[in-house]
Amino acid sequence: MAKRLGRRTIAFDRPVYISAHAAIVGQKEGEGPLQGTFDKVSGDAHFGQKTWELAEAAMQRDAIQTAAAKAGLELADLDLILAGDLLNQCIGSSLASVQSSVPFVGLYGACSTMAEGLAVGGCLIDGGAAHTLCAAASSHFCAAERQYRFPLAYGGQRTPTAQWTATASGAAILTGKKTPVRVTHAVFGQMVDLDVTDANNMGAAMAPAAYDTLAHLFADTCTGPADYDRILTGDLARVGSEILRGLFARDQTDLGDGYADCGMLLYDSEQDVHAGGSGCGCSAAVLCGDILDRMERGALGRVIFAGTGALMSPTSVQQGQGIAGICHAVILEGA
Amino acid sequence: MAKRLGRRTIAFDRPVYISAHAAIVGQKEGEGPLQGTFDKVSGDAHFGQKTWELAEAAMQRDAIQTAAAKAGLELADLDLILAGDLLNQCIGSSLASVQSSVPFVGLYGACSTMAEGLAVGGCLIDGGAAHTLCAAASSHFCAAERQYRFPLAYGGQRTPTAQWTATASGAAILTGKKTPVRVTHAVFGQMVDLDVTDANNMGAAMAPAAYDTLAHLFADTCTGPADYDRILTGDLARVGSEILRGLFARDQTDLGDGYADCGMLLYDSEQDVHAGGSGCGCSAAVLCGDILDRMERGALGRVIFAGTGALMSPTSVQQGQGIAGICHAVILEGA
């Protein structure tokens, strides 16, 4: 049974492990600094489908199926799929798993969805509600760009603070059986809205929420940044991660060299992504590719995975509402 | 720790109780057959706000705050809020709780969201991940109609199979401390898509999923319809609930007089809602008003609350995709 530490942190009492993981990405993501860490790179942005929504669904489905296969499982062996995405009514995730015959729990946490899924999933495994489940998330540049901003063919100019929605998906299988990577803690975050209304500066909107969640996590567990081999946010990108470092600096806390943001890891500065990557798939694919691979190899020990989301809709932005940030986190321990 | 029964059902081992609940609705809902069972009926469809999205948020916030107050709690006493709605990016629920300072888990299950929240929330309480939490859901006719179908002022004609999106919200506080209403089991459902593509006939799209979940629940718990004082779906409405009765009749199972659908309970036939009510708020307000009141008074004993959702988006419908139904359920036991 889980124990609550301090104000926010949930410590898993029974073992919760990641038994397999998979990351599927598009061409641009496959050409970035993390090339070679993904299970598949699709040269076809349509993933063989006739619409962008079906393309995203095919990509997420492939991530789930690949992760399950790597764990030696059939889809029917899963008790649950927990998944979400950025599309209206989370249709990408619904279409991904509609034929799976696996019970489905839809989540919405914007770009924090992968972390939200791992946190909820960890609680369900720890509590005995599920023995084996899959947490997944995805985003697709073409589907998101058209929905959130402009028609693709319009070729709208982007501001320097804008982030690039990754065409990417990640999936992780959680189980109670021992594997090299254990999920030890989870923190659900509160929304923080400091009245940032610029949808092209989501890093600034999300950074205060990341600070709030990480500060609670450190306090609740009596740890600091130096206790972790890697602290990963996703996806604050360049603007937001500088703000996050600044917020901790006010507390005389240095996030240190172990701190990195998935939005800055996925692309390099020559890939024209401005402030960096975003989208539910960005942090999902960085975690479910490179990071978990390195944890399994023993190259990374203790890691905080802190997914950050901007809770807005095109309607709310047009109506002048502030963009609320949220951050859910899990602590992972490697081999 | 929860135990899994059969293929789908989760039996809570530690006590999970509903300590308070609240339902807030609009004028039309307040004039229906359930009048007098809601905590508040707003004569102002705007709920004092300047947009429909903020109106829905104000209504959901009121439901959460009223439920917490009835449980003798401040919002700060909640470990979590689990909530969702029908609006793009679930913005109604985000706006409802953005100022709450309570950790927030966004859910998307379309009209099954209240049941999804109770099921996930029950697992979190049972597993010790939370001591006290709130599950909430809402929908607003004006916000939904504009987003899903036509501009309000257009006055589009509706087909006989169409359902009316309720302006309603419900919230329930879950806790481990004994109260008259216990949550004993939860079942997460799988998506079922029989290629219904008519967004004005969602009852037909959802009924097979309700059948799938209820059939698993009966098999896993070795019970049948006669073992329950009330089996509530929400919201299949007239068309979908007739299909559901028919599906069980093929198995020589009579759902009996105890079966009812929230979409048919909320309005009467003279209120021009065609097949009945729908929207996340419909089943949420029926449960968190009349049903839980009657369970607390001892007038209803064992109840299945089976939330049904149609997992579609306007985009997916325009693209000709089938509408997948889903159904999550909880078993409640009254005083």
Side-chain angles (χ1 to χ4, degrees):
Chain A
M1 199 179 113
K3 290 188 187 67
R4 291 188 63 90
L5 302 178
R7 289 185 57 197
R8 291 280 167 85
T9 305
I10 298 160
F12 296 135
D13 189 42
R14 299 179 60 227
V16 179
Y17 292 99
I18 295 179
S19 63
H21 49 90
I24 314 282
V25 301
Q27 185 82 33
K28 185 184 184 88
E29 292 70 23
E31 291 170 351
L34 298 179
Q35 64 178 279
T37 67
F38 305 111
D39 293 83
K40 285 183 203 165
V41 177
S42 175
D44 170 20
H46 279 94
F47 288 78
Q49 305 294 318
K50 62 183 178 175
T51 70
W52 299 126
E53 288 73 17
L54 287 170
E56 178 167 344
M59 175 175 61
Q60 188 188 113
R61 183 166 52 244
D62 198 359
I64 293 170
Q65 288 176 340
T66 304
K70 288 166 79 175
L73 301 173
E74 304 285 331
L75 282 189
D77 298 325
L78 297 174
D79 293 324
L80 279 176
I81 293 171
L82 291 82
D85 59 83
L86 292 173
L87 298 181
N88 295 343
Q89 288 74 54
C90 301
I91 195 68
S93 303
S94 298
L95 291 171
S97 292
V98 65
Q99 301 299 339
S100 67
S101 300
V102 178
F104 177 80
V105 174
L107 301 177
Y108 185 73
C111 304
S112 74
T113 300
M114 189 69 206
E116 182 183 353
L118 292 172
V120 173
C123 292
L124 297 179
I125 297 282
D126 174 88
H131 300 313
T132 308
L133 60 82
C134 180
S138 64
S139 54
H140 191 299
F141 177 80
C142 299
E145 193 68 11
R146 185 184 59 182
Q147 176 182 285
Y148 279 102
R149 283 166 284 264
F150 297 110
L152 285 169
Y154 175 72
Q157 291 291 304
R158 304 167 65 249
T159 68
T161 55
Q163 295 175 227
W164 183 276
T165 306
T167 298
S169 179
I173 308 293
L174 296 188
T175 166
K177 292 182 198 150
K178 189 163 168 49
T179 75
V181 181
R182 183 168 175 176
V183 187
T184 61
H185 300 76
V187 184
F188 293 108
Q190 72 167 72
M191 288 182 270
V192 180
D193 176 8
L194 299 184
D195 210 26
V196 172
T197 56
D198 180 0
N200 289 310
N201 193 0
M202 291 189 294
M206 294 186 283
Y211 169 78
D212 183 73
T213 293
L214 290 171
H216 274 103
L217 183 155
F218 293 143
D220 291 348
T221 57
C222 302
T223 61
D227 294 307
Y228 300 90
D229 296 303
R230 187 58 64 99
I231 298 168
L232 269 183
T233 52
D235 313 292
L236 299 177
R238 182 175 47 76
V239 177
S241 54
E242 284 169 12
I243 294 172
L244 181 63
R245 280 192 185 274
L247 290 169
F248 274 107
R250 292 194 314 188
D251 299 340
Q252 281 77 51
T253 299
D254 181 6
L255 283 180
D257 293 339
Y259 170 61
D261 182 78
C262 296
M264 294 175 73
L265 295 171
L266 187 60
Y267 302 105
D268 70 31
S269 58
E270 291 171 13
Q271 286 187 290
D272 192 29
V273 296
H274 294 47
S278 70
C280 305
C282 180
S283 63
V286 172
L287 178 76
C288 294
D290 183 47
I291 301 297
L292 288 174
D293 273 349
R294 286 207 269 166
M295 294 187 76
E296 288 174 347
R297 290 200 309 268
L300 277 176
R302 208 173 183 199
V303 171
I304 297 174
F305 176 66
T308 54
L311 299 178
M312 43 74 84
S313 77
T315 305
S316 73
V317 170
Q318 286 165 9
Q319 290 171 344
Q321 292 301 315
I323 298 170
I326 197 162
C327 175
H328 303 298
V330 288
I331 302 179
L332 308 172
E333 285 197 356
Chain B
M1 199 178 112
K3 290 187 187 69
R4 291 188 62 90
L5 301 180
R7 288 185 56 196
R8 291 282 168 85
T9 305
I10 298 160
F12 296 136
D13 188 43
R14 298 179 59 226
V16 179
Y17 292 99
I18 295 179
S19 64
H21 49 91
I24 314 283
V25 300
Q27 185 81 34
K28 185 184 184 90
E29 292 70 22
E31 292 170 352
L34 297 179
Q35 64 178 279
T37 68
F38 306 112
D39 294 83
K40 286 183 202 165
V41 178
S42 176
D44 170 21
H46 279 93
F47 288 76
Q49 305 294 317
K50 63 182 180 178
T51 70
W52 299 126
E53 288 73 17
L54 287 170
E56 178 167 344
M59 176 176 60
Q60 188 187 112
R61 184 166 50 244
D62 198 359
I64 293 170
Q65 289 176 340
T66 304
K70 286 166 80 176
L73 301 172
E74 304 285 331
L75 281 189
D77 297 325
L78 297 173
D79 294 325
L80 280 175
I81 293 170
L82 291 82
D85 59 84
L86 293 172
L87 299 180
N88 295 343
Q89 287 75 54
C90 301
I91 196 67
S93 303
S94 298
L95 290 172
S97 292
V98 64
Q99 301 299 338
S100 67
S101 299
V102 177
F104 177 80
V105 174
L107 301 177
Y108 185 74
C111 303
S112 74
T113 301
M114 188 70 207
E116 181 183 354
L118 292 172
V120 174
C123 292
L124 297 179
I125 297 281
D126 175 87
H131 299 312
T132 308
L133 61 80
C134 180
S138 63
S139 54
H140 191 298
F141 177 80
C142 299
E145 194 67 12
R146 185 184 60 183
Q147 175 183 285
Y148 280 102
R149 283 166 283 264
F150 297 110
L152 285 170
Y154 175 71
Q157 291 291 306
R158 302 165 69 247
T159 69
T161 55
Q163 295 176 227
W164 184 275
T165 306
T167 298
S169 179
I173 308 291
L174 296 188
T175 167
K177 292 182 198 151
K178 188 163 169 51
T179 74
V181 182
R182 182 167 175 177
V183 187
T184 61
H185 300 76
V187 183
F188 293 108
Q190 72 167 71
M191 287 181 271
V192 180
D193 176 8
L194 298 185
D195 210 28
V196 172
T197 56
D198 179 0
N200 289 309
N201 193 1
M202 292 190 291
M206 295 186 281
Y211 169 78
D212 184 74
T213 293
L214 289 172
H216 274 102
L217 183 154
F218 292 141
D220 291 348
T221 57
C222 303
T223 60
D227 294 308
Y228 300 90
D229 296 300
R230 186 58 65 98
I231 298 168
L232 269 184
T233 52
D235 315 294
L236 300 177
R238 182 174 47 76
V239 177
S241 54
E242 284 168 12
I243 295 172
L244 180 64
R245 280 193 186 274
L247 290 169
F248 273 105
R250 292 194 315 187
D251 300 340
Q252 281 75 52
T253 299
D254 181 5
L255 282 180
D257 293 339
Y259 171 60
D261 182 78
C262 295
M264 293 177 72
L265 295 172
L266 186 59
Y267 303 105
D268 70 32
S269 58
E270 292 171 12
Q271 286 188 291
D272 191 31
V273 297
H274 295 44
S278 70
C280 306
C282 180
S283 63
V286 172
L287 178 76
C288 295
D290 183 46
I291 300 297
L292 287 174
D293 274 349
R294 287 208 267 167
M295 294 188 76
E296 288 174 347
R297 290 200 310 267
L300 278 175
R302 209 173 182 198
V303 171
I304 297 174
F305 176 66
T308 53
L311 299 178
M312 44 73 84
S313 77
T315 306
S316 73
V317 170
Q318 287 166 8
Q319 290 172 346
Q321 293 300 315
I323 298 171
I326 196 162
C327 175
H328 303 299
V330 288
I331 302 178
L332 307 172
E333 284 199 357

